[in-house]
Amino acid sequence: MTSQILRDARHYEAIAEQTIPPEKRPAFHLSTRVGWMNDPNGFSYYQGRCHLFYQYYPYGTKWGLMHWGHAVTDDLLHWEYLPAALAPDSLPDRDGCFSGSAIELPDGRQLLMYTGVVDPGGVPGEPTESIQTQCLAVGDGVNYEKYEGNPVLTVDDVPEGGSKVDFRDPKMWREADGSYGCVVGNRPADGSGQLLYYTSDDGFHWRFESVLAQNLGRFGLMWECPDFFVLDGRHVLLVSPQDMLPDGYEYHNGNGTVCLIGRYDAERKRFIEETNHAVDYGIDFYAPQTTLTPDGRRIMIGWMQNWDTLSVSTVKSRWFGQMTLPRELSIRNGRLYQRPVRELDALRGERVAHENVRFSGERTLEGVSGRTVDITVTIRPGDTGNVYKKFAVWFGKNDACHTTLSYRPYESILKIDRKFSGSRRAVIHQRRCKVPDRGGELTFRMILDRFSVEVFVNDGEQTLTATMFTDPSADGICFLADGEVCMDVEKYDLNNDSKLGVQKREKEWYHRAGDDDTHEIPLQ
Ligand code: FRU
């Protein structure tokens, strides 16, 4: 039975999304159907299609009472919205359905596991602490029933010394033997993060196994949104710590995402960390989740935002929040490599290429402009005995605005800077990334969408992601060099056909959802 709270959300989104013109949204990144979006949830395949849920507050463009939004895709690029999947409509989640994950059960149903939140309220003026428990919902890919046995993990399942307040973001997986595992974020007595590991035989009854990994005061405080998987023979833990301190150019202040690579000690049920590094060196990236495609690729998608810089958007539209491109992961040289999913190649239009362009000062190139483009640039010194001092590319450019990616070979620093992108807010607009010193040689691929840039450096060895809200008509691209640079540029327009999945409203879904009168409901 669909609750009134969920029915209201479904009515509202179906109407309110019509007020968002397609050109005011990203062209090929998933944005919230309407209102607010944060973390990706339940990124998984179900009955052959890729599902993505997300933290969702349809009624406003600020974080609010958390629902789960829902979209599906066949090619990881064209998304089709489905009706909101979860609403805070049961006792253990009455104050929010926080982040979680999804899997397909052997009986053909889809199982969602999420954090239910209750704010007890209580004595006025006294701080109250929320209760976070792990809950389940079961469904057919569109409609979900909350499990009558909720919550399935409570503070009683947290080991001694673990926080009774911060206990959230379960990420489940299925083992080869048909059993289930999951990791949940928590914090031990020192206040920094730890991950708790649980197992289950049927996906419904869970037991505590171990503390899988501990922060030990190194990476921020609470660890949010964990993911744990095997990639190229190594065990990988992705985790998003809050309240980080910078460590050189590796980690920056605030919320960020850390990649820990190591191995799994099956006897002690502990992850043994060997190396760590930041997952993204730009401004807007958080809380990623991964899934395995039917053809065996490990794909990651992240929230393309940062809690500390939310005020940057100036788009006067009823949406806030977008996801990164899905990215193919691999491990090379002990690092996590990321590349845009290969499906993106299908959106490429005509190829424009310029080779061995030697220049200093400022340069534009015939056919190289646009705001929805895929552009790969390789630079090397024009004179190896006298390496250039600085190279930059300006994009999203008109007379008043531009965003810059710049490289200083003597410091090996690559910087993204959107302070001239049209933002009126005094928040972080730039980040630096230390790249390997290759004598002034560097290759980067830049994917521009209407409201973002994703940079993949040296074939995905490092990435820098940032939102930018410059008017999409600002489509200039120019190159600058202090000293002589020799460069190759390859550029494609990315043409998403206008039957963009994200714009589709499939009435059929509303019939299935028992809700086909959406078009009569006036906007409040
Ligand atoms: C991370 C996070 C999660 C939580 C969700 C709430 O961005 O704080 O820990 O489940 O957002 O929306």
Side-chain angles (χ1 to χ4, degrees):
M1 247 272 290
T2 312
S3 71
Q4 189 60 45
I5 300 176
L6 184 58
R7 281 216 302 276
D8 286 349
R10 288 176 166 189
H11 279 215
Y12 182 83
E13 64 184 1
I15 300 296
E17 72 166 350
Q18 298 176 43
T19 66
I20 306 174
E23 66 281 5
K24 290 270 166 99
R25 284 183 181 276
F28 50 89
H29 287 78
L30 178 69
S31 53
T32 180
R33 186 168 182 178
V34 63
W36 163 275
M37 160 195 274
N38 60 291
D39 317 349
N41 295 155
F43 188 35
S44 60
Y45 279 79
Y46 175 67
Q47 294 183 350
R49 305 190 84 190
C50 181
H51 287 245
L52 184 68
F53 304 82
Y54 53 90
Q55 288 287 280
Y56 181 39
Y57 181 62
Y59 304 110
T61 51
K62 296 210 161 45
W63 190 87
L65 200 55
M66 279 295 112
H67 296 55
W68 274 32
H70 192 185
V72 283
T73 179
D74 292 319
D75 65 357
L76 297 164
L77 290 173
H78 295 82
W79 295 93
E80 180 186 318
Y81 292 120
L82 297 185
L86 298 179
D89 55 11
S90 76
L91 270 184
D93 62 28
R94 62 162 206 226
D95 293 307
C97 299
F98 276 19
S99 284
S101 49
I103 43 176
E104 180 163 358
L105 290 168
D107 65 9
R109 293 178 301 162
Q110 193 177 28
L111 181 69
L112 312 183
M113 190 180 203
Y114 64 97
T115 301
V117 177
V118 173
D119 288 317
V123 188
E126 270 192 18
T128 56
E129 293 187 321
S130 73
I131 300 168
Q132 303 188 342
T133 58
Q134 313 322 316
C135 300
L136 300 174
V138 188
D140 61 359
V142 180
N143 295 307
Y144 301 86
E145 285 284 336
K146 306 259 171 90
Y147 175 52
E148 69 274 8
N150 280 343
V152 294
L153 288 171
T154 71
V155 292
D156 295 338
D157 304 292
V158 172
E160 177 121 11
S163 167
K164 309 274 183 206
V165 178
D166 290 305
F167 178 44
R168 60 178 176 272
D169 309 337
K171 175 74 201 283
M172 291 185 282
W173 63 88
R174 189 128 187 258
E175 299 286 0
D177 68 1
S179 67
Y180 301 85
C182 94
V183 279
V184 185
N186 182 237
R187 56 212 299 186
D190 71 0
S192 75
Q194 66 181 7
L195 300 183
L196 307 180
Y197 171 42
Y198 298 86
T199 56
S200 168
D201 298 327
D202 58 3
F204 292 85
H205 302 90
W206 292 86
R207 53 186 171 266
F208 172 71
E209 294 288 352
S210 64
V211 176
L212 183 74
Q214 276 187 309
N215 187 356
L216 304 174
R218 297 167 307 153
F219 309 116
L221 299 177
M222 170 65 183
W223 279 5
E224 298 190 308
C225 301
D227 199 347
F228 185 46
F229 52 89
V230 176
L231 180 65
D232 296 332
R234 313 294 301 281
H235 277 85
V236 179
L237 249 182
L238 299 181
V239 77
S240 294
Q242 297 180 312
D243 308 304
M244 299 251 273
L245 287 171
D247 175 7
Y249 294 112
E250 200 50 46
Y251 300 110
H252 58 69
N253 310 61
N255 293 58
T257 304
V258 178
C259 172
L260 306 168
I261 300 175
R263 60 196 172 79
Y264 179 61
D265 176 344
E267 212 161 291
R268 291 166 58 228
K269 298 181 176 155
R270 280 194 74 96
F271 171 75
I272 314 291
E273 175 191 328
E274 286 162 4
T275 55
N276 66 76
H277 60 83
V279 173
D280 193 278
Y281 295 82
I283 309 172
D284 297 297
F285 185 92
Y286 196 62
Q289 273 197 353
T290 70
T291 189
L292 209 51
T293 59
D295 62 6
R297 289 173 289 160
R298 178 63 62 175
I299 309 284
M300 175 178 77
I301 195 164
W303 182 39
M304 194 154 56
Q305 238 359 114
N306 185 294
W307 286 109
D308 288 323
T309 60
L310 297 176
S311 57
V312 168
S313 170
T314 49
V315 179
K316 297 257 178 305
S317 195
R318 271 167 134 158
W319 69 271
F320 182 82
Q322 39 181 337
M323 297 297 171
T324 65
L325 276 178
R327 301 174 180 178
E328 289 179 22
L329 302 182
S330 59
I331 294 192
R332 276 192 256 165
N333 314 318
R335 287 189 66 93
L336 187 73
Y337 273 65
Q338 306 170 46
R339 307 178 72 184
V341 280
R342 60 196 68 168
E343 284 81 350
L344 188 69
D345 296 355
L347 301 192
R348 285 174 163 184
E350 195 193 334
R351 177 173 185 263
V352 174
H354 297 265
E355 274 164 29
N356 289 314
V357 179
R358 286 179 173 271
F359 78 108
S360 58
E362 192 176 327
R363 187 70 208 255
T364 52
L365 292 174
E366 181 74 36
V368 177
S369 64
R371 271 297 281 280
T372 51
V373 297
D374 178 349
I375 174 166
T376 299
V377 178
T378 299
I379 48 172
R380 49 197 169 269
D383 170 2
T384 40
N386 182 19
V387 175
Y388 62 91
K389 291 194 184 59
K390 185 179 171 187
F391 165 86
V393 51
W394 287 12
F395 50 92
K397 180 179 166 334
N398 61 14
D399 289 346
C401 297
H402 63 267
T403 294
T404 310
L405 184 75
S406 61
Y407 176 54
R408 290 178 184 272
Y410 290 97
E411 296 153 40
S412 297
I413 293 291
L414 187 65
K415 183 172 89 173
I416 183 100
D417 188 343
R418 64 170 180 205
K419 83 172 149 297
F420 300 116
S421 65
S423 164
R424 294 177 189 275
R425 298 270 65 86
V427 296
I428 290 286
H429 284 313
Q430 46 173 270
R431 290 230 190 267
R432 291 174 174 76
C433 168
K434 186 116 183 148
V435 298
D437 176 4
R438 295 189 178 131
E441 285 198 30
L442 183 79
T443 299
F444 58 89
R445 180 174 174 193
M446 223 167 49
I447 310 293
L448 296 184
D449 196 348
R450 296 193 184 111
F451 304 108
S452 63
V453 52
E454 290 172 89
V455 183
F456 298 83
V457 187
N458 293 331
D459 205 25
E461 187 177 18
Q462 289 166 305
T463 62
L464 294 96
T465 303
T467 56
M468 48 185 272
F469 294 96
T470 319
D471 190 286
S473 64
D475 64 355
I477 296 180
C478 77
F479 304 91
L480 299 105
D482 180 357
E484 198 179 55
V485 164
C486 182
M487 100 183 148
D488 305 329
V489 175
E490 187 185 19
K491 177 240 159 188
Y492 301 86
D493 286 322
L494 292 173
N495 306 312
N496 209 342
D497 52 52
S498 59
K499 282 185 257 75
L500 190 63
V502 293
Q503 296 307 320
K504 269 202 217 160
R505 284 185 302 279
E506 294 283 11
K507 258 213 141 197
E508 160 202 345
W509 294 116
Y510 290 90
H511 287 293
R512 284 185 69 184
D515 194 9
D516 51 3
D517 59 344
T518 46
H519 297 276
E520 272 86 64
I521 307 298
L523 263 189
Q524 315 268 307

